[in-house]
Amino acid sequence: MVRRLSFSLTRASVLTLGAGLAASCALFVGVSHLEYDNLALSFSQRADQRVATVRQGLHDAVEVATVTNQLFALGAPVTREQFHDFTSPLLARHPFIKAFNFHRVVDDAERPAVEAELGRIVPGTVIGEVRDSRRVPAERRARYHIVHYLEPMRGNEAAFGFDVGVRPQFGQALARAQADGRAAATALFPLIQDPQPQPSFQIVMPVLDSQGKLVGDTGVVVRARELVSSVLAAANLLGDRQIVMSVYASARPEPANLVFSTRADDAPLPQDTMAAWLAPQHRSSLARTLDVAGRPWLVEVTAMPRPFAADHLASLAILAGGILLSLLSAAWVQASSVRTRLVQQLVRKRTADLKRTNRRLVDDMVARERTEKALQQSEQRFRQLAAMSSDWYWEQDRDLRFTTITGGFAEKSGVAVDRLLGKTRWEALAGVEDSEAGRAHIAQVKAREAFANFEYQLADDNGDTRWFLVSGQPVFDEHGNFSGYRGTGSDITARKLTEQRVHHVAQHDVLTGLPNRSLLQDRLEQAVAYAGRSGNPVWVMLIDLDRFKFVNDSMGHKAGDVLLMTVAARLRSSLRDLDTVARLSGDEFVVILSEHGEQTLSPDIVQRVMDAVAQPVMLGTKEFFVTCSIGVSVFPSEGTGADELIEHADIAMYRAKKLGRNNFQFYTPAMNEESLERVRIEGALRNALERDEFVLYYQPQLDMKTGKICGMEALIRWQHPELGMVPPGRFVSIAEETGLIVPIGAWVMRTACAQNKAWQDAGFDKLRVAVNLSARQFSAPDLIEGLERVLVDTGLEPKYLEIELTESLFMSDVTPAVELLHRMKALGVNLSIDDFGTGYSSLSYLSRFPIDVLKIDRSFVADITRDANDEAIVTSIIALAHNLKLAVIAEGVETGEQLDYLRRHGCDEMQGYYFSRPLPAAEFEQLLVEGRGLQPGEIGPAPEAEPAAA
């Protein structure tokens, strides 16, 4: 029997071991603190990234609500079709939006009419509310706040006509929005149209009329969970299982307001006891409060505990090394004293060890056989897995040449294996050495380093471009010598093509395929940078189509889309390949022209573009001619910086429009002053009607035979409290462009008729009052009804109202104009053509119009006694009118010679400064009281002339 030697530690070895262990523990604790600090920093960065992503997603939802409200803030009525067209691309871009709403304020008296309108859109729809979890007709009350416009309708029918005013959270949000003047979010609420309600909220903004009265609001209904999950998924932040994230629609983590969470259940997260002991200050959670349109949202991010060893290899290695070193040191001290006993013990054990060795040799042989069999099975499984996988396996020798490619490479990639075998990757792939990524890859493999996710493209055997992704590891033999590489590869062509399509869609207009505003800005920055380097100029052209709205209104939006695509193609074909053509919005296009070498820029290029656009376009069975107005800004030039090129081109384009369209203008600093003046006038003009700043002046019209006043023309004047008496030339054109001419013209019509009726009731002679009709009023669908209403309300007989029209109102589309003129004539009013002879008159059209009077423009009357051409024109107009049984009125008669000439040639009536300038109502009434007029044959000096008034 072997006798076991007694073993005891010496004092020196015990002290050595204790000191070594103490030092190792101290180093372990110190390094652990550093590791926990790194973990805390990493967690803080990842948590802040998630909070920022959620904040951006919520900001995008608020921005969508603000942009939608701008559609109603423009002042013009918004139709359902416009609302649908505006919100459709927003719904496609933001799938978390459940619906876009326009909530209309409806009085109880309007309820039957509104419900009838709702029923025509969705049969059976009435104003409703929710009681006992069911939608029922709303109880009668003074006002309702109903869902009037709803997009998309499909899937949201249950919400159509719903009275949201009964929900307190909606009323609170709308009150905040009105008070703050910006979007406000509601608390979470279930949607009545969702069969399985999920937390949702609504962002609302008020819609006010011109008087500041609330007429409704716009709302964006957002599924809160989908919003958070979609923005996190888009940022690729949902795959990290080590981060737990919860989002609450409140300032505190209340379960009722939980919007989104990545926790599998509500169980508390396990605590990291090691961290609590080693680093008590270590943070593994973060909470941030966000402001979402006036409501607080809480975002909590917590790190899942990880095994201690996973993040503390360095400290554990130091601890293990210290313990080992301590043990070795203690063992070395102890070795001197126990060496003799160990030798004796080894001698006694040798015989027993030999027996056990023989037994292990037999066991090793059996185990080796089992290992060889397991290796064969493992290789077979590997080959089966490679055949079933979408990846393939490859090997290279020490010269980096391919020796093996398996896993169905030819079938998966479309490339024959023989094209790669015996070659390096850069020999088989042309262009790898020319790219920065390729050179970095070559340097990496020559340094014998592992690489991952190296992407490259290659033409397959059919000539199609394919994209591949490869990863590899270096291989070394048992002596540490490099023997080659082995790795895997996969075909990523589908993913690459998808990325390219997404990138193209994000930067190009869907309809025309031209660059959109985002890509335009990038191209403009490049052009300006090139101009700064080369010293060559850059031109920016802003192109706006003339009469595009007429095409949309008369032919429909599909015809308008065809026209836009045709114009886009013509713009591309009329310019160089290096020029940029982009669609800005609607019917506006932007062209960036850069000067390269001998290709200098000149106005001929702009004219070529105008000529290309002006070619006829077939829309259906009709041929249309569409012209354009172009504004050009130049960089570098005085008054135009790089950031203002498009803005200044827009100002120049507006100037081209003002000069009659179908021309181009280069920007000058003076145009900016004119633009600012226009903005000032437009702002003041919007409030002029409400503030009762308009007044009417009346210029008498006299019968040339009797000399008596037979009528008057009503002329508008604007008495501004700061600008004084604003001449019509400064504001009428602006009112036409902004659409304000419609309410202003309606005011003029009603005021003139009421004043004429008042003078008739006062006992004065019954006179005819002439009122100008603008182009906007002439094209209004309710023109006839409005005229009838004015005549009925004022009590004026129709024969004492004369409507003055210019030739341009109906020369563009004669057939509907003739019909409309006959309907007006059927009311009993008189019709006259103002400024006759200054437009493009057609005698064949004139014979079809039910016109009563022709008015000779003042430009012909001014020189009839000195200019033979004007004399011939006036004489011809009078003869033409009389042959067509029409009366003739001459405008701008300022001298006795002019009056005598017109009387001698048979002109019927006159108006002008020779008798009287336009007068306020009180002075005109005094004129009637005095019974002033002209005596037959009277020729006298004219009063001091003033500039002609509109």
Side-chain angles (χ1 to χ4, degrees):
M1 182 176 181
V2 179
R3 183 171 60 84
R4 196 180 287 275
L5 294 175
S6 61
F7 178 80
S8 61
L9 293 175
T10 64
R11 180 178 300 176
S13 62
V14 171
L15 292 176
T16 300
L17 179 62
L21 292 177
S24 299
C25 291
L27 286 173
F28 167 74
V29 172
V31 174
S32 295
H33 273 273
L34 293 177
E35 291 170 334
Y36 272 117
D37 290 342
N38 289 334
L39 289 175
L41 177 61
S42 175
F43 167 75
S44 178
Q45 293 173 343
R46 295 156 71 191
D48 288 341
Q49 183 183 12
R50 284 157 173 78
V51 172
T53 300
V54 172
R55 180 186 290 112
Q56 184 60 42
L58 294 169
H59 173 75
D60 289 346
V62 175
E63 184 175 357
V64 168
T66 304
V67 169
T68 304
N69 186 262
Q70 290 300 313
L71 180 64
F72 291 84
L74 296 178
V78 178
T79 65
R80 295 183 185 274
E81 290 76 15
Q82 291 172 332
F83 190 75
H84 170 79
D85 294 342
F86 186 87
T87 57
S88 293
L90 296 178
L91 287 168
R93 194 177 304 125
H94 303 288
F96 53 79
I97 294 180
K98 173 63 177 174
F100 285 90
N101 294 330
F102 167 60
H103 302 132
R104 175 183 169 188
V105 176
V106 177
D107 294 329
D108 189 63
E110 299 174 292
R111 178 169 179 172
V114 171
E115 289 185 334
E117 178 185 353
L118 299 178
R120 286 193 297 270
I121 299 171
V122 177
T125 301
V126 297
I127 297 177
E129 61 185 14
V130 173
R131 288 199 298 271
D132 299 328
S133 301
R134 292 188 307 105
R135 172 167 175 164
V136 297
E139 294 181 353
R140 307 295 295 199
R141 41 184 169 269
R143 299 178 72 190
Y144 310 86
H145 215 104
I146 70 167
V147 178
H148 194 237
Y149 289 0
L150 177 62
E151 291 294 335
M153 183 66 72
R154 186 173 183 179
N156 292 304
E157 293 85 353
F160 188 57
F162 182 74
D163 183 9
V164 298
V166 300
R167 287 184 167 169
Q169 58 267 47
F170 173 83
Q172 295 167 3
L174 183 57
R176 293 202 319 275
Q178 282 189 269
D180 299 339
R182 57 191 180 93
T186 68
L188 295 180
F189 64 91
L191 299 177
I192 64 171
Q193 60 265 45
D194 277 350
Q196 295 181 350
Q198 59 172 293
S200 303
F201 68 99
Q202 188 164 183
I203 305 173
V204 298
M205 287 190 72
V207 175
L208 308 176
D209 61 11
S210 59
Q211 299 178 351
K213 179 182 177 183
L214 180 69
V215 297
D217 67 273
T218 57
V220 177
V221 180
V222 180
R223 288 193 175 103
R225 183 180 297 115
E226 289 184 13
L227 184 150
V228 177
S229 62
S230 64
V231 297
L232 291 176
N236 198 22
L237 297 177
L238 291 178
D240 191 351
R241 301 301 182 186
Q242 294 300 317
I243 294 291
V244 174
M245 185 175 178
S246 299
V247 181
Y248 300 87
S250 60
R252 294 185 298 275
E254 300 168 348
N257 290 319
L258 179 62
V259 169
F260 173 85
S261 178
T262 58
R263 293 175 57 179
D265 51 50
D266 295 330
L269 295 173
Q271 299 297 319
D272 190 351
T273 55
M274 186 66 75
W277 177 65
L278 288 176
Q281 302 301 321
H282 172 66
R283 291 182 56 200
S284 61
S285 63
L286 179 142
R288 291 283 189 274
T289 301
L290 309 178
D291 181 82
V292 182
R295 288 193 59 84
W297 280 45
L298 178 66
V299 180
E300 291 186 342
V301 184
T302 305
M304 291 289 290
R306 287 164 51 90
F308 184 83
D311 300 311
H312 298 272
L313 292 178
S315 58
L316 289 176
I318 290 175
L319 179 62
I323 294 175
L324 180 60
L325 183 61
S326 299
L327 291 174
L328 290 176
S329 300
W332 183 81
V333 174
Q334 183 71 14
S336 300
S337 59
V338 299
R339 184 174 299 163
T340 302
R341 288 182 292 175
L342 288 175
V343 170
Q344 293 175 351
Q345 186 176 6
L346 289 173
V347 170
R348 288 194 294 268
K349 291 181 178 179
R350 183 61 62 188
T351 303
D353 290 343
L354 288 174
K355 293 180 180 179
R356 287 194 297 271
T357 300
N358 289 333
R359 188 165 55 251
R360 284 199 298 270
L361 286 175
V362 175
D363 294 339
D364 287 345
M365 292 178 65
V366 175
R368 183 172 182 178
E369 291 180 358
R370 289 197 299 267
T371 301
E372 290 178 351
K373 186 176 181 180
L375 287 174
Q376 294 174 354
Q377 293 175 348
S378 176
E379 183 178 359
Q380 184 179 6
R381 287 195 299 270
F382 170 76
R383 294 184 181 278
Q384 292 175 347
L385 180 61
M388 293 184 293
S389 172
S390 61
D391 296 346
W392 55 79
Y393 174 77
W394 55 267
E395 292 183 359
Q396 293 175 329
D397 59 18
R398 66 181 61 199
D399 296 325
L400 305 177
R401 301 182 184 278
F402 287 103
T403 59
T404 303
I405 302 179
T406 63
F409 171 77
E411 294 80 6
K412 297 172 182 176
S413 67
V415 179
V417 176
D418 295 339
R419 287 179 56 181
L420 301 179
L421 292 179
K423 300 178 182 178
T424 63
R425 183 170 283 109
W426 48 92
E427 290 174 345
L429 307 176
V432 172
E433 296 175 297
D434 299 331
S435 67
E436 183 177 349
R439 290 192 294 271
H441 169 71
I442 294 173
Q444 197 172 19
V445 296
K446 287 185 176 180
R448 310 298 187 250
E449 297 177 354
F451 64 89
N453 300 329
F454 174 62
E455 297 181 0
Y456 62 90
Q457 62 182 18
L458 175 67
D460 62 14
D461 295 342
N462 295 324
D464 298 328
T465 300
R466 307 285 287 269
W467 282 88
F468 304 117
L469 179 73
V470 294
S471 300
Q473 289 278 352
V475 180
F476 301 92
D477 60 18
E478 63 274 11
H479 303 295
N481 298 320
F482 174 73
S483 58
Y485 267 91
R486 60 189 174 200
T488 59
S490 58
D491 188 329
I492 59 170
T493 303
R495 190 192 79 189
K496 279 291 184 180
L497 293 177
T498 300
E499 291 175 355
Q500 293 173 0
R501 285 193 296 270
V502 170
H503 182 73
H504 184 274
V505 169
Q507 293 194 327
H508 289 78
D509 177 51
V510 177
L511 177 64
T512 63
L514 296 177
N516 59 15
R517 188 184 296 269
S518 173
L519 184 55
L520 170 66
Q521 192 62 38
D522 180 67
R523 296 277 181 86
L524 183 58
E525 291 174 359
Q526 295 179 22
V528 170
Y530 171 77
R533 295 192 305 270
S534 64
N536 295 332
V538 172
W539 287 13
V540 173
M541 299 166 48
L542 195 146
I543 305 168
D544 185 89
L545 301 183
D546 301 329
R547 298 177 66 240
F548 177 73
K549 184 177 183 301
F550 172 75
V551 175
N552 265 347
D553 294 343
S554 60
M555 298 292 292
H557 289 284
K558 289 185 178 179
D561 291 344
V562 172
L563 176 59
L564 290 175
M565 290 187 288
T566 303
V567 170
R570 291 178 177 178
L571 291 176
R572 282 195 296 260
S573 63
S574 64
L575 296 168
R576 303 166 299 181
D577 292 339
L578 53 85
D579 298 327
T580 295
V581 182
R583 184 185 179 198
L584 194 62
S585 63
D587 60 337
E588 288 187 337
F589 298 86
V590 173
V591 175
I592 302 175
L593 304 174
S594 297
E595 194 170 277
H596 293 272
E598 298 180 355
Q599 298 178 346
T600 59
L601 301 178
S602 69
D604 294 340
I605 300 176
V606 186
Q607 186 62 50
R608 186 170 69 240
V609 171
M610 293 188 64
D611 294 341
V613 174
Q615 296 300 314
V617 181
M618 290 301 298
L619 299 179
T621 59
K622 295 184 178 181
E623 187 177 60
F624 278 81
F625 291 86
V626 178
T627 59
C628 65
S629 300
I630 301 179
V632 186
S633 61
V634 180
F635 175 85
S637 66
E638 180 183 358
T640 300
D643 298 333
E644 302 168 327
L645 284 170
I646 295 179
E647 177 184 348
H648 286 179
D650 186 47
I651 293 174
M653 184 275 294
Y654 170 76
R655 177 66 175 173
K657 289 275 189 185
K658 189 174 182 180
L659 293 177
R661 297 183 171 86
N662 193 23
N663 70 93
F664 63 88
Q665 295 291 315
F666 281 79
Y667 171 80
T668 62
M671 292 181 182
N672 198 37
E673 297 297 328
E674 182 180 342
S675 177
L676 294 175
E677 168 71 7
R678 180 181 182 276
V679 171
R680 181 186 181 189
I681 292 294
E682 181 180 341
L685 193 60
R686 292 187 180 276
N687 299 319
L689 266 180
E690 300 175 9
R691 297 173 180 173
D692 198 22
E693 295 175 359
F694 291 118
V695 294
L696 285 186
Y697 277 44
Y698 300 89
Q699 186 171 36
Q701 298 172 336
L702 292 95
D703 190 310
M704 300 280 279
K705 295 179 180 179
T706 65
K708 294 183 179 180
I709 298 176
C710 60
M712 55 200 161
E713 182 178 2
L715 301 169
I716 190 170
R717 297 292 185 269
W718 180 12
Q719 182 64 52
H720 191 274
E722 297 177 0
L723 303 177
M725 187 65 75
V726 182
R730 288 181 64 186
F731 70 87
V732 170
S733 61
I734 297 176
E736 281 275 5
E737 294 173 11
T738 59
L740 294 173
I741 195 66
V742 175
I744 293 174
W747 177 86
V748 171
M749 183 72 69
R750 182 173 293 274
T751 304
C753 290
Q755 180 64 72
N756 193 15
K757 177 61 175 174
W759 281 330
Q760 292 180 5
D761 293 343
F764 295 108
D765 292 340
K766 294 187 176 182
L767 304 177
R768 182 183 68 251
V769 62
V771 180
N772 285 282
L773 196 67
S774 70
R776 287 288 186 96
Q777 289 175 283
F778 189 75
S779 59
D782 59 346
L783 172 62
I784 303 300
E785 292 77 4
L787 288 174
E788 288 181 321
R789 190 161 48 250
V790 168
L791 293 172
V792 171
D793 293 347
T794 61
L796 181 68
E797 294 183 54
K799 63 182 180 180
Y800 296 115
L801 173 62
E802 179 178 299
I803 306 296
E804 291 192 1
L805 310 108
T806 59
E807 299 169 55
S808 59
L809 293 184
F810 37 77
M811 285 303 174
S812 60
D813 200 351
V814 176
T815 302
V818 170
E819 179 184 352
L820 183 57
L821 290 175
H822 279 283
R823 292 177 60 194
M824 294 171 64
K825 188 62 180 175
L827 296 177
V829 300
N830 296 294
L831 302 178
S832 66
I833 296 182
D834 194 13
D835 302 335
F836 184 76
T838 60
Y840 300 96
S841 304
S842 171
L843 299 183
S844 62
Y845 292 156
L846 187 61
S847 64
R848 297 168 57 190
F849 297 152
I851 301 299
D852 300 292
V853 180
L854 292 183
K855 297 190 72 175
I856 303 175
D857 186 66
R858 68 183 69 249
S859 62
F860 300 125
V861 174
D863 293 325
I864 55 175
T865 60
R866 297 186 301 273
D867 190 317
N869 291 329
D870 287 350
E871 184 178 344
I873 292 174
V874 171
T875 305
S876 300
I877 292 176
I878 295 173
L880 171 65
H882 289 168
N883 288 333
L884 294 175
K885 303 298 187 292
L886 304 178
V888 181
I889 300 178
E891 295 182 302
V893 179
E894 298 181 353
T895 68
E897 291 80 0
Q898 295 170 349
L899 177 65
D900 181 63
Y901 179 90
L902 292 169
R903 180 187 291 115
R904 284 189 288 106
H905 287 82
C907 184
D908 301 298
E909 299 176 13
M910 63 79 68
Q911 69 181 80
Y913 285 3
Y914 178 77
F915 179 75
S916 173
R917 70 191 67 198
L919 302 173
E923 295 183 23
F924 188 87
E925 183 173 331
Q926 183 62 33
L927 194 72
L928 297 178
V929 171
E930 296 173 358
R932 287 178 53 192
L934 292 174
Q935 298 301 323
E938 176 187 354
I939 299 177
E944 182 182 351
E946 293 184 5

